[in-house]
Amino acid sequence: MNFNEGLFEDEVGSKYYIPAMMKRCHAAELEVLDVLGTLLDQQGVCWCATGETLLGAARCNGFLPWSDTVEIAVPEQERQRFLEVIKKLPDDLRFTENKVCNGSDLNREREFLTKYHGFPFGCGVQVHFDDAVRVCRGENYLFFENFHMPVPEQYEKVLEKHFGPGWEIYSPESLRPWYPFFMAQEHRYEAENNQTSPYFYEFRMGDLIRNRDNDGNSLIDNFLSTFVEGHNQVLKAVQMSENGSIIPVFTHAQDVAVKFGNFIEVNFPEAAIVVVPMLEAYCNRLYLLGEVLTASPADLNTTRAQYGEESVSPEVYLESCMKFASAVQAAVKNEITGKKEVVFLPFKASGWKNMKPLYQYYKARQDCRVYVVPVPYYHVTDQNTAGEKCYEGGDIPDEADAIPYDTFNLYTHMPDTVVTQNPYDQYSLGLRLPADLYSDELRKFTKHLIYVPWFDEVDIDKMPAKSMSDYYIRQPGVVKADVVLVRSPKERKYYIDSLTEFAGEDTRPIWEEKIQTMQGSVVL
């Protein structure tokens, strides 16, 4: 069975969160169903969808948001024939405890992952023997994902019997204690092996530690320091009246100023409009000063005779150089270093709406310079590696004034604040960002790392949606962010409770400070 890598992205629909791991679980179960169903059909054994699989086929032609199992029914009178037929199953499938499955452990072998679409745990199809089920072979079918699924006669009555007269809007008040199935397997793996599998983030207290005394300096600060030092060397050379050493000192100062201007034009185009002309004027006055200081007495007398005494006065040119050097420093401070720099890193265009309120807040502040830099992401392959590259920068609304990812350098800017939306780092089987945008790396470039969820809010009042929320909350991008901005006080409380359970009760004050709502946050 073929599935596009993009089908395994995490998503939220009808306020239910469905992670990539769950989608890969669905695909793996369908592979088992394909083998089992084909074998039963070939041997003439009646079977059909039942339980939540039948309900999903009737309601949405696929898996229900809270369902992670495939269930089929076989008439009780066909039990013995079924038991004989399944002896012909391939060697990698077995029937145990009324379930046809491909194993029960974590399996990272290449062949297994390729066959079962990257789902690393054992899974299968639950079989129920029901003396009440009636199947008319070849007549009753509903679509289920990419399956033509056989269903019982008068399946609506079957659904009403199992789920009540409101089966069309049925939602469970409670779930199986092992839901989601893959998390139950992960917990068992942890208990048996005393370690977390590579598919899940393992919390460490050290992940909460930030060295805020070592935030580093941006390249703009380094360039400005080099420019000032070059200018000071010019003043020193003039003061010592060592004309023989003036040319290399002046040449170096001009070279630094030119490189500084080029750097600003590339990385700070708005500020360049103000700063670069001052740098050009500085270089011009520096050149004239050098010409005067190194000219022969005869040349100076000729120039004075033609243009007047002041036209060749070294004092005039030196004063002008000093004036423009000071102006450059002031302009850099006013236009660049004196403003807080905020960088937004959206990856899904659909998630921009959740960043937008924070963007508008910073954009309205006169003391902030704001950049929106959409970043690429990769679909994850069935071998848990980066596959197809995707980039949605062109779909970000024009209001954001987004700039291309390959033109922006975090090391160059060292922004005060970075706002990100992907919490998973390497722990998603759906999509991931380049490794240099993982949370640990981003913390090297900024004083404040803010995480804003990219997906729509989940209805945590609904048990199925609530039970899956731990998956997207307990991620490194949440834990390592300095501020997490959620959408409501209810969501904030759930984040705090979930992370406290995950990391220990003594960490609750940390989460209470870190997790904020968009309306009540103080983020700079």
Side-chain angles (χ1 to χ4, degrees):
M1 302 174 68
N2 295 319
F3 295 90
N4 184 285
E5 288 179 359
L7 294 176
F8 296 122
E9 290 186 14
D10 305 62
E11 69 172 291
V12 172
S14 302
K15 293 196 173 183
Y16 289 95
Y17 178 82
I18 307 173
M21 181 72 84
M22 181 72 84
K23 291 188 170 185
R24 291 190 181 276
C25 176
H26 291 166
E29 290 172 337
L30 291 176
E31 289 288 354
V32 177
L33 177 64
D34 187 37
V35 174
L36 176 61
T38 299
L39 181 61
L40 294 177
D41 290 342
Q42 290 173 345
Q43 300 300 314
V45 176
C46 292
W47 66 281
C48 65
T50 192
E52 290 185 348
T53 301
L54 177 60
L55 181 61
R59 277 178 40 172
C60 59
N61 298 127
F63 286 96
L64 296 164
W66 65 85
S67 179
D68 60 351
T69 185
V70 173
E71 299 177 87
I72 68 168
V74 175
E76 178 63 40
Q77 58 268 29
E78 301 235 28
R79 179 193 288 262
Q80 290 305 315
R81 292 188 62 220
F82 174 87
L83 295 177
E84 288 298 319
V85 167
I86 61 171
K87 293 178 182 178
K88 300 178 182 180
L89 285 169
D91 292 340
D92 63 331
L93 298 180
R94 63 177 182 270
F95 180 65
T96 179
E97 297 181 355
N98 284 355
K99 188 173 185 178
V100 176
C101 57
N102 61 1
S104 59
D105 300 316
L106 179 70
N107 191 332
R108 300 178 66 193
E109 294 182 3
R110 173 175 290 273
E111 182 179 354
F112 182 88
L113 294 176
T114 299
K115 184 173 183 177
Y116 294 107
H117 305 285
F119 185 66
F121 298 105
C123 67
V125 176
Q126 190 71 42
V127 181
H128 302 275
F129 297 101
D130 189 344
D131 56 6
V133 68
R134 295 185 59 190
V135 183
C136 248
R137 188 179 295 112
E139 293 187 9
N140 298 323
Y141 288 94
L142 290 174
F143 283 109
F144 185 85
E145 302 298 340
N146 53 354
F147 252 86
H148 225 47
M149 182 75 76
V151 297
E153 293 180 351
Q154 299 181 324
Y155 66 85
E156 295 93 341
K157 291 185 177 180
V158 175
L159 289 171
E160 185 173 336
K161 177 182 177 181
H162 285 185
F163 301 102
W167 62 266
E168 295 94 338
I169 57 173
Y170 167 82
S171 180
E173 295 182 0
S174 61
L175 293 168
R176 302 180 302 276
W178 58 85
Y179 177 86
F181 177 62
F182 67 81
M183 285 302 297
Q185 290 177 300
E186 171 63 16
H187 294 328
R188 182 164 62 85
Y189 176 86
E190 289 180 353
E192 293 177 356
N193 298 277
N194 195 31
Q195 63 178 343
T196 301
S197 77
Y199 298 95
F200 293 89
Y201 164 63
E202 181 179 11
F203 172 77
R204 296 178 176 85
M205 282 298 297
D207 291 341
L208 293 175
I209 298 175
R210 271 302 283 274
N211 183 1
R212 298 188 179 278
D213 295 328
N214 186 27
D215 290 317
N217 295 312
S218 66
L219 283 183
I220 190 72
D221 293 324
N222 295 335
F223 262 111
L224 184 58
S225 297
T226 304
F227 170 77
V228 171
E229 176 61 24
H231 175 66
N232 289 336
Q233 290 298 320
V234 167
L235 298 181
K236 182 177 179 182
V238 173
Q239 183 180 15
M240 296 180 68
S241 300
E242 296 179 356
N243 292 354
S245 64
I246 282 178
I247 292 178
V249 171
F250 279 34
T251 300
H252 173 71
Q254 287 178 317
D255 183 57
V256 168
V258 170
K259 290 180 179 178
F260 194 15
N262 292 338
F263 173 81
I264 293 174
E265 284 184 327
V266 171
N267 296 283
F268 304 93
E270 294 180 359
I273 298 173
V274 176
V275 180
V276 170
M278 295 180 181
L279 284 167
E280 291 173 343
Y282 173 80
C283 289
N284 175 263
R285 300 309 190 277
L286 193 60
Y287 171 78
L288 294 175
L289 177 61
E291 287 287 296
V292 170
L293 292 175
T294 58
S296 66
D299 291 339
L300 286 177
N301 290 333
T302 300
T303 303
R304 289 190 179 103
Q306 290 179 343
Y307 301 105
E309 184 70 25
E310 291 186 357
S311 64
V312 290
S313 169
E315 292 77 17
V316 171
Y317 292 142
L318 179 59
E319 182 180 351
S320 184
C321 282
M322 295 174 65
K323 180 185 71 173
F324 281 111
S326 298
V328 166
Q329 295 176 63
V332 169
K333 180 178 180 180
N334 293 335
E335 300 296 328
I336 304 177
T337 61
K339 292 185 177 182
K340 296 181 182 296
E341 189 165 273
V342 184
V343 178
F344 288 77
L345 301 177
F347 72 103
K348 298 286 286 185
S350 61
W352 172 251
K353 62 181 181 296
N354 295 335
M355 277 186 163
K356 183 177 177 180
L358 192 60
Y359 167 78
Q360 292 175 327
Y361 163 74
Y362 282 123
K363 195 71 174 176
R365 288 178 51 166
Q366 297 298 313
D367 63 338
C368 290
R369 188 174 55 259
V370 183
Y371 297 93
V372 177
V373 187
V375 299
Y377 63 90
Y378 299 87
H379 287 136
V380 178
T381 70
D382 53 22
Q383 303 300 320
N384 196 22
T385 59
E388 176 191 8
K389 182 178 180 179
C390 303
Y391 182 71
E392 300 186 14
D395 298 324
I396 300 294
D398 292 340
E399 65 182 358
D401 294 325
I403 63 176
Y405 169 70
D406 57 3
T407 66
F408 190 88
N409 189 323
L410 284 171
Y411 174 74
T412 297
H413 286 258
M414 298 292 287
D416 297 272
T417 297
V418 169
V419 185
T420 185
Q421 284 197 298
N422 188 304
Y424 311 108
D425 289 355
Q426 68 268 39
Y427 300 104
S428 171
L429 285 179
L431 53 82
R432 62 188 54 157
L433 303 187
D436 59 358
L437 294 175
Y438 289 176
S439 51
D440 270 336
E441 293 300 310
L442 290 177
R443 292 209 296 186
K444 297 177 182 178
F445 299 110
T446 185
K447 301 174 185 177
H448 300 91
L449 181 60
I450 300 176
Y451 166 67
V452 177
W454 62 270
F455 46 83
D456 294 335
E457 187 171 4
V458 173
D459 187 354
I460 54 177
D461 287 333
K462 295 181 179 180
M463 177 55 69
K466 183 177 181 179
S467 64
M468 193 59 75
S469 60
D470 289 342
Y471 184 86
Y472 63 80
I473 291 175
R474 300 174 181 184
Q475 295 288 354
V478 176
V479 171
K480 297 175 185 179
D482 299 298
V483 176
V484 176
L485 292 179
V486 297
R487 288 148 292 203
S488 67
K490 181 189 298 184
E491 190 177 19
R492 175 178 181 268
K493 181 180 184 305
Y494 195 82
Y495 265 75
I496 293 171
D497 291 344
S498 176
L499 289 165
T500 299
E501 181 183 2
F502 182 49
E505 186 61 38
D506 58 332
T507 64
R508 181 176 290 274
I510 296 175
W511 309 123
E512 289 178 342
E513 179 180 358
K514 183 192 297 276
I515 313 300
Q516 303 179 20
T517 60
M518 188 73 74
Q519 294 79 8
S521 66
V522 178
V523 291
L524 264 186

